[in-house]
Amino acid sequence: MGASESKLAFKEDVFRLAREDNIPADSSWWAQFYQLPESSDDVFALWSPNDVRSITLNGTDRPFPGGQVDPKKNLETLIYTCVARLKALQTRRCYPDVHHPIAPEILNCIRILTRLLPYIYESEHLNAWEERFFWQPRRPQQVYDTKHNRDGQYIDGLEPSKIIKQENGEQISTKEIGHPLGEELITILLDYMFFPSFTLPKRLNEKGEPELKVQYSIWVSGIGCRHSAGVTKENERNATEVVRLLLALCSKQLYVHPQSVADVDNKALTYITTQCDRQVSLSVVCSLLNTVLKYNPATWRVPINFAADGDVKMRLVNVSLQLLLVLVLYPAPQGETNAFRKAISRLHRVEDFQFIQQGMNLVLTQPISGMAAYLPGNQKIVPWAPELLVLFWELLQANKRFRSFIIETDRAHDFVVLVLYYAMDARQEPSKQGFVRMCVLILQTLSVESAFGMRLNKTFIGQESLPSVLRINNFHGTYADFLITSVHSLITTTKGRLESIYPALLAIILNIAPYVVELGRATSSKLMELFALLSSPPFLLEKESNHQLLGSLLQAMTAILEYHLKDNPRFVDVIVRGRQRFIALRDFTVEGALAELDRQAHARKDRASGNDSGVTTPARHPSIDSLRSPSTTLEHVPEHDAFAIGDDDDDEDGDNSQGASSSARMSSSMHDPTVPLQSRSMSEKARGKQPVGQGNFSRSAHGSRQSSVSSLPSLITTHTSHMQQFAATPEWLETWLPHLPLHTILTVIDNAIRQPIRPRAATAPSASPAIDAPNRPIEPTQTPLPQPSSPPKMQSFQWTSLSLGWYLSLMWGLIYASDIATNKGVNGIWTGTGIKIFNIASRSYDPISLRSPKGAVDAVGNTIVQRLGSFTFSGAGGANGAGQER
């Protein structure tokens, strides 16, 4: 179709589809649609969105909202024509010359269907027709007798020359003549993935003719196959087209609202994942997986733009990964088993796990490897790195053996660094919240394993070679130190953008806390900084559930003390030096907090007016009584200053009378045998108000899905604005403050105060112990805490229909953005269609790069693609709870 005249003639025939309905199905006129186009561009350019939509409407007026109408008969005939031709070329020789090339016709049929399906899915008025036409048993199609201007005979749509006649008085229109057309199409396409002379090398039979028999040979060596099938670039190009059509066929989820996407039965995906033959599904999953993992981006070659047509391998790898994720992530209807998810869950050979780990590592390490620097113009991040992280998460969830392999062979250390790199690199972009959230949930999935927590105590080496976004200045410590410090950075440097995943971030710390030993002083100070921020009055009074985050952090700090008190002297030292903060929290009152907020508001107002002569700046030494009295303020409690060793009054001789008396009262209550264990850290006032029977209160899991937090670095705001959203009351305070896990921490503090500070045995003696002692770790003379009687309780990610909707939205957002970046203009599969799972705000056709964002997706139900390539999802799915597997 190189000549403009032929393109104009073809375009006129496209117009005829909408202008003239009921074109005879047996007419040779239909053959031009799969014979004339020479490239994918011809099909997508000559079938404009308006051309396709015009044949989805049976009339000039659009149906009323919710109304169901059938499309033009020509649309049905066109689909039947393409499917019938695909089946014919696969099952018999259609040309006298047995060596006549059939690939062009196959590709044109595939491209036409790829063009049509998204516009069928977007049309709500075709829902009933789509269900009947594609997914119910195939029935005879009645043709129109144009010669006599009346309805004609019934035929088989896949064989127009076959006339269906009435038998025994049956109703012809309801007679079942074959499997549903959608199932027929899927079977044909899966066979074309392994068709000789198309997606596999050409084979000849004993007569010297091209073989037509499908052979389920895995494309490349790897899992399930030691030898590659020897596919050529032409085979890879054809396979890319088949995979793209399968993606289009399975993309019904793009046109469903995210709140219900997890509950909708996607008929195409249900059939592929639950009804296909086992040999077919295994061949498909191994071919796709091996193709993805065998790709090596770190080769010495001239870099090729991902959006260009030159690198066929890159295109195939990209769409193969996308189709694999679509198949593996699909939640099969209740009672059905997803064969593809089952296949990856059954992997057990160590060499397979090594193959997977090496293939993922090769791609994900590109941004932090030295190879990219030697390749001028090379993209630092492989375009499908986000999708590869999705696959890694799926393998961790579905395959326990793979999870154990990653952890027990210390590969988890590498993946912790890689996942943190992608999270830290994207954390400042509001449009990438969903991607950062997924990275955090990957770490949470790993952290629930006890072996992971124990292996984090390995010393971190090579920190200086990390990218600047991940490097910690003057870092010396273990992987646990590195992980906790990175979590602290994600919380405190994102200005509240990641508030929906703060529970998951704190759950990571909580899960590894029982196994941490020799925690560094700097890391311990980071934990105290988080405690200071989460226990500040502005934060606690901002939202009704914010105290749950504080409880989760306190639970983690308690676990460190209960399981490894003697092995964490620096952490104990930091806890003791910041003891006034814990005492202030124990005696927290709503009246005192509101008074402090008023004082801060007046102080800011005076500073803004330039009159600060009468303003009292917050002292760095807290006053305990100031928290108890409603008539006083919290001005002496250091709420927002960065925590540092020595902030509080550390010397025992320097404690004022108020602090000493408070410590004495705290000590007496903690050792009073009549006070229940859970209530020994309460104030007397709180215990007096406690209802009978609450002494054995079992605290619920902290960090629920609804928990959120404002911008932690800037928490000081007037309480007037807070009260418009949530009004704190003493009754509300009593529901959670008495049950905070403070008892262990206060017990350790009390024990450390009662005994002299002794340097650790490994520390050399000092000439001036009175000066050096306060700066040395505290070595308790006795263990004040009983050994935990039960193993640590892990906080796993809990899947809900809402969180699964977020996850599917994230995946389809990545696929959509990748398709737009790869296929320019109108050549995208879903370009210009009415997608509902997220909203398209603007477009850019530049290559996707996480370092140079091109896209965004907002909250589930309100997803926005602003610049393709970056994604933000928030507000769906719990961060904690039981139930790791889907």
Side-chain angles (χ1 to χ4, degrees):
M1 294 185 64
S4 59
E5 292 81 3
S6 61
K7 290 186 177 180
L8 288 174
F10 187 88
K11 186 70 175 179
E12 179 61 28
D13 287 330
V14 172
F15 289 152
R16 183 186 174 192
L17 288 173
R19 183 177 63 247
E20 181 184 335
D21 204 4
N22 285 309
I23 299 175
D26 57 355
S27 172
S28 60
W29 177 82
W30 294 98
Q32 64 173 325
F33 291 114
Y34 55 76
Q35 290 177 345
L36 295 182
E38 298 176 354
S39 67
S40 177
D41 290 344
D42 287 342
V43 173
F44 280 79
L46 294 173
W47 293 77
S48 69
N50 288 336
D51 295 331
V52 179
R53 288 192 177 102
S54 64
I55 59 176
T56 64
L57 294 170
N58 194 355
T60 57
D61 298 330
R62 290 188 175 275
F64 61 86
Q68 296 292 305
V69 296
D70 291 353
K72 291 189 182 324
K73 194 70 175 180
N74 286 341
L75 178 61
E76 294 185 359
T77 305
L78 180 60
I79 294 174
Y80 266 123
T81 298
C82 292
V83 176
R85 193 59 177 175
L86 287 173
K87 185 174 183 179
L89 294 171
Q90 192 177 85
T91 56
R92 66 176 184 270
R93 306 194 187 280
C94 300
Y95 292 95
D97 182 2
V98 295
H99 295 285
H100 186 281
I102 61 174
E105 291 191 8
I106 297 174
L107 291 174
N108 283 333
C109 291
I110 288 174
R111 290 160 183 166
I112 292 173
L113 294 173
T114 303
R115 190 57 164 168
L116 295 178
L117 286 170
Y119 291 92
I120 293 175
Y121 289 155
E122 76 161 0
S123 304
E124 293 185 3
H125 64 276
L126 296 182
N127 287 343
W129 171 83
E130 178 215 336
E131 168 70 20
R132 182 178 68 254
F133 182 73
F134 282 103
W135 306 112
Q136 291 183 6
R138 206 167 72 254
R139 294 179 170 83
Q141 300 291 305
Q142 188 175 27
V143 298
Y144 189 76
D145 187 350
T146 55
K147 182 178 180 180
H148 300 91
N149 195 24
R150 64 183 182 185
D151 292 334
Q153 296 176 318
Y154 285 90
I155 64 170
D156 183 348
L158 292 181
E159 298 183 46
S161 59
K162 182 179 180 181
I163 299 176
I164 308 298
K165 297 182 179 180
Q166 187 176 13
E167 297 178 0
N168 300 326
E170 63 182 351
Q171 185 71 27
I172 298 181
S173 60
T174 60
K175 182 179 180 180
E176 297 182 3
I177 60 174
H179 296 290
L181 182 63
E183 295 181 3
E184 293 269 10
L185 176 59
I186 290 173
T187 302
I188 292 170
L189 293 177
L190 292 178
D191 283 346
Y192 268 122
M193 290 181 68
F194 307 98
F195 194 67
S197 303
F198 187 66
T199 51
L200 291 178
K202 186 176 182 179
R203 296 198 317 271
L204 301 179
N205 58 21
E206 61 277 2
K207 297 180 181 180
E209 300 172 342
E211 183 65 69
L212 296 180
K213 184 179 179 181
V214 175
Q215 183 177 0
Y216 298 105
S217 300
I218 299 174
W219 293 343
V220 294
S221 61
I223 298 174
C225 179
R226 294 187 177 183
H227 304 285
S228 297
V231 295
T232 64
K233 284 189 177 294
E234 189 65 28
N235 296 146
E236 292 176 343
R237 187 176 289 108
N238 295 339
T240 301
E241 298 272 7
V242 177
V243 174
R244 289 188 76 210
L245 176 52
L246 284 170
L247 278 172
L249 189 60
C250 298
S251 64
K252 179 69 174 179
Q253 292 171 322
L254 278 171
Y255 305 93
V256 179
H257 291 290
Q259 293 86 348
S260 57
V261 66
D263 303 320
V264 173
D265 182 8
N266 188 321
K267 296 299 178 61
L269 280 172
T270 298
Y271 179 76
I272 297 176
T273 58
T274 64
Q275 302 300 321
C276 284
D277 184 77
R278 182 174 181 271
Q279 182 184 6
V280 176
S281 60
L282 290 178
S283 299
V284 171
V285 72
C286 289
S287 294
L288 298 176
L289 189 58
N290 292 350
T291 300
V292 172
L293 298 175
K294 288 279 283 191
Y295 181 76
N296 183 6
T299 55
W300 290 98
R301 61 183 179 183
V302 177
I304 299 176
N305 191 337
F306 176 62
D309 293 330
D311 199 332
V312 177
K313 173 68 75 175
M314 288 187 70
R315 282 178 172 266
L316 179 59
V317 171
N318 192 49
V319 296
S320 295
L321 177 57
Q322 292 170 359
L323 179 60
L324 180 62
L325 291 179
V326 169
L327 297 175
V328 170
L329 266 64
Y330 179 65
Q334 189 173 6
E336 302 284 351
T337 300
N338 185 326
F340 292 86
R341 190 171 187 83
K342 181 180 179 180
I344 67 170
S345 69
R346 290 291 185 90
L347 296 175
H348 62 278
R349 298 169 56 194
V350 174
E351 50 266 38
D352 291 341
F353 293 153
Q354 290 175 339
F355 176 73
I356 295 173
Q357 178 265 327
Q358 291 170 0
M360 290 185 170
N361 220 47
L362 195 61
V363 171
L364 295 175
T365 55
Q366 286 304 293
I368 60 178
S369 66
M371 180 62 69
Y374 298 99
L375 300 176
N378 190 35
Q379 291 182 347
K380 284 191 173 183
I381 294 180
V382 178
W384 56 86
E387 291 98 315
L388 200 60
L389 283 174
V390 176
L391 178 60
F392 177 65
W393 191 23
E394 284 303 303
L395 285 166
L396 289 178
Q397 295 177 87
N399 195 313
K400 295 181 180 180
R401 299 182 188 91
F402 177 76
R403 189 163 67 240
S404 298
F405 169 82
I406 290 294
I407 294 173
E408 293 174 1
T409 58
D410 285 346
R411 266 79 169 189
H413 293 152
D414 297 334
F415 281 100
V416 165
V417 175
L418 289 172
V419 173
L420 282 174
Y421 166 76
Y422 284 96
M424 297 292 286
D425 186 60
R427 74 187 190 280
Q428 299 296 356
E429 301 269 352
S431 59
K432 295 183 178 181
Q433 292 181 21
F435 179 59
V436 177
R437 178 181 185 178
M438 185 193 68
C439 292
V440 171
L441 294 179
I442 291 175
L443 295 175
Q444 185 181 358
T445 301
L446 286 170
S447 69
V448 299
E449 299 291 336
S450 58
F452 176 79
M454 290 184 286
R455 290 179 181 273
L456 286 179
N457 293 314
K458 181 180 178 181
T459 302
F460 193 105
I461 301 175
Q463 201 271 151
E464 297 78 8
S465 63
L466 295 178
S468 57
V469 71
L470 200 58
R471 195 181 309 129
I472 303 171
N473 294 330
N474 302 318
F475 176 80
H476 302 284
T478 64
Y479 280 90
D481 290 299
F482 183 80
L483 178 56
I484 293 174
T485 303
S486 299
V487 168
H488 169 273
S489 180
L490 285 171
I491 293 177
T492 58
T493 64
T494 51
K495 300 181 180 179
R497 284 190 295 266
L498 302 179
E499 60 181 6
S500 65
I501 59 174
Y502 287 157
L505 287 167
L506 294 174
I508 294 172
I509 299 178
L510 175 58
N511 289 341
I512 67 173
Y515 310 102
V516 170
V517 298
E518 296 297 337
L519 199 64
R521 185 178 296 274
T523 307
S524 303
S525 297
K526 297 295 184 184
L527 290 175
M528 278 300 297
E529 285 183 21
L530 287 178
F531 171 73
L533 293 171
L534 296 178
S535 62
S536 63
F539 173 72
L540 289 175
L541 299 186
E542 184 193 18
K543 293 183 180 179
E544 184 176 5
S545 59
N546 275 357
H547 63 86
Q548 294 178 348
L549 297 178
L550 174 62
S552 185
L553 179 61
L554 285 174
Q555 194 175 359
M557 299 171 79
T558 297
I560 296 175
L561 298 175
E562 288 182 344
Y563 286 91
H564 291 287
L565 176 65
K566 289 187 176 181
D567 296 326
N568 289 287
R570 300 180 188 87
F571 179 70
V572 174
D573 190 26
V574 170
I575 290 289
V576 173
R577 295 179 191 277
R579 59 188 177 273
Q580 302 291 10
R581 301 181 186 276
F582 297 100
I583 297 172
L585 175 62
R586 184 201 63 182
D587 298 313
F588 186 91
T589 64
V590 174
E591 297 87 345
L594 294 177
E596 172 63 7
L597 292 178
D598 280 334
R599 185 201 64 78
Q600 293 174 4
H602 285 97
R604 287 194 301 274
K605 183 177 180 181
D606 291 339
R607 284 194 298 270
S609 62
N611 179 22
D612 57 356
S613 59
V615 177
T616 303
T617 59
R620 297 179 66 84
H621 306 288
S623 172
I624 303 302
D625 286 342
S626 67
L627 288 173
R628 291 201 183 99
S629 174
S631 60
T632 58
T633 68
L634 305 181
E635 61 183 355
H636 298 298
V637 180
E639 302 163 2
H640 308 289
D641 295 337
F643 180 82
I645 299 299
D647 272 0
D648 299 316
D649 192 355
D650 301 316
D651 297 331
E652 291 182 39
D653 296 338
D655 289 340
N656 54 35
S657 59
Q658 293 175 343
S661 62
S662 175
S663 177
R665 288 192 296 270
M666 174 189 68
S667 175
S668 63
S669 66
M670 285 191 297
H671 296 282
D672 186 353
T674 64
V675 178
L677 180 63
Q678 294 89 344
S679 305
R680 290 181 183 177
S681 62
M682 300 182 194
S683 65
E684 295 177 2
K685 177 181 178 182
R687 288 201 304 274
K689 291 185 178 181
Q690 186 181 20
V692 177
Q694 282 194 1
N696 295 322
F697 177 85
S698 177
R699 187 171 54 84
S700 60
H702 292 295
S704 67
R705 176 175 56 82
Q706 292 82 4
S707 299
S708 61
V709 63
S710 65
S711 176
L712 293 183
S714 56
L715 285 173
I716 302 179
T717 56
T718 60
H719 75 272
T720 303
S721 61
H722 295 313
M723 295 306 102
Q724 295 174 353
Q725 303 176 7
F726 165 65
T729 63
E731 291 75 20
W732 163 79
L733 187 66
E734 290 299 318
T735 63
W736 61 267
L737 182 60
H739 311 294
L740 285 179
L742 280 170
H743 171 67
T744 298
I745 297 173
L746 295 177
T747 300
V748 171
I749 292 173
D750 181 65
N751 178 266
I753 293 176
R754 285 172 173 270
Q755 61 183 313
I757 299 177
R758 298 170 52 190
R760 300 186 68 191
T763 305
S766 172
S768 53
I771 297 176
D772 293 343
N775 295 321
R776 296 186 179 184
I778 294 175
E779 180 78 13
T781 58
Q782 58 182 347
T783 303
L785 304 174
Q787 291 296 324
S789 58
S790 60
K793 294 182 180 180
M794 299 291 103
Q795 289 193 1
S796 303
F797 179 69
Q798 183 180 12
W799 285 105
T800 64
S801 60
L802 196 58
S803 61
L804 188 55
W806 156 78
Y807 193 29
L808 294 173
S809 300
L810 173 65
M811 178 195 67
W812 279 110
L814 292 169
I815 294 173
Y816 175 85
S818 175
D819 180 69
I820 292 291
T822 308
N823 302 283
K824 304 297 184 180
V826 297
N827 287 348
I829 300 176
W830 306 279
T831 303
T833 60
I835 292 173
K836 295 179 182 178
I837 201 170
F838 48 76
N839 300 323
I840 311 301
S842 61
R843 299 187 184 122
S844 172
Y845 298 110
D846 296 333
I848 300 173
S849 171
L850 291 181
R851 190 172 291 278
S852 302
K854 304 293 185 295
V857 180
D858 198 13
V860 170
N862 299 295
T863 306
I864 301 174
V865 177
Q866 297 173 338
R867 295 162 299 171
L868 298 176
S870 344
F871 304 90
T872 300
F873 296 86
S874 60
N880 302 311
Q884 180 74 18
E885 307 299 332
R886 280 209 315 275

